[in-house]
Amino acid sequence: MEFCGTGVVLVRAGEQQDEQASCAEAAGVVVGLSLRRRCEEVLEFAFGAAARRGTTLRAVHCRTLPVPASSLWSSSPEAAEAVARAVGQELGTVLRPWQEKFPGVRVIDEVLFDSAARTVARVASGSALLVVGRRRDRPALAPGIGPVAHAAIHHALCPVAVVTHD
């Protein structure tokens, strides 16, 4: 475990060094983003990690489809595409200032329609690093971390950075 100022980086014991090196060269850094809250600290850490490694940053936002676009019996591809376009524009707006601050980092942004907790570890498979956030102001009776960070810690095969944010 390595502390990184406002969070912690976890690396699984028993990983072989040469496997980690090849993953770092090939797959880059993945950041799981929520668009509901500001997560500047998470983005700063993720962009900085990608810049230091000289690799790509894959920014992933997961969301479930709204009821009109998806139901138990069918889904509307047109509605799903419209939602993906709108959310993709929102994600692009959030990423734009960081892309300007880190012009050497190539960014791939992606909107996935699934549970973030279920998807985040799968998406990061083979990556050099997965970056997720943990809210600083969690309710008193809530667990110390949310479901996405919990899933990442327990299921991601790559190192995981959990960054505290407002």
Side-chain angles (χ1 to χ4, degrees):
M1 209 177 338
E2 173 188 330
F3 291 96
C4 61
T6 60
V8 65
V9 177
L10 302 132
V11 180
R12 292 195 183 283
E15 286 189 23
Q16 293 181 353
Q17 196 65 22
D18 55 340
E19 287 180 29
Q20 286 180 329
S22 65
C23 286
E25 293 168 7
V29 175
V30 174
V31 60
L33 289 176
S34 169
L35 297 177
R36 290 188 194 121
R37 299 176 63 98
R38 293 180 54 87
C39 49
E40 302 301 310
E41 296 91 342
V42 176
L43 285 167
E44 183 173 13
F45 186 89
F47 270 90
R52 283 188 299 281
R53 288 171 171 78
T55 190
T56 301
L57 176 66
R58 182 176 175 195
V60 178
H61 172 75
C62 296
R63 174 173 294 201
T64 55
L65 280 172
V67 175
S70 173
S71 71
L72 293 174
W73 301 279
S74 67
S75 63
S76 164
E78 297 82 17
E81 286 177 24
V83 171
R85 237 183 341 271
V87 175
Q89 288 175 347
E90 187 179 354
L91 180 58
T93 300
V94 168
L95 294 171
R96 193 167 298 114
W98 293 98
Q99 288 175 290
E100 291 169 2
K101 185 174 179 178
F102 292 90
V105 175
R106 182 171 160 258
V107 178
I108 300 169
D109 59 336
E110 189 171 10
V111 176
L112 301 173
F113 294 112
D114 201 353
S115 159
R118 192 172 35 230
T119 304
V120 70
R122 178 181 50 82
V123 168
S125 177
S127 295
L129 178 67
L130 169 62
V131 181
V132 295
R134 176 192 141 340
R135 287 195 333 234
R136 186 172 283 120
D137 61 345
R138 298 199 53 84
L141 297 177
I145 59 172
V148 176
H150 185 267
I153 290 167
H154 288 282
H155 300 291
L157 299 177
C158 64
V160 177
V162 180
V163 180
T164 304
H165 66 92
D166 291 327

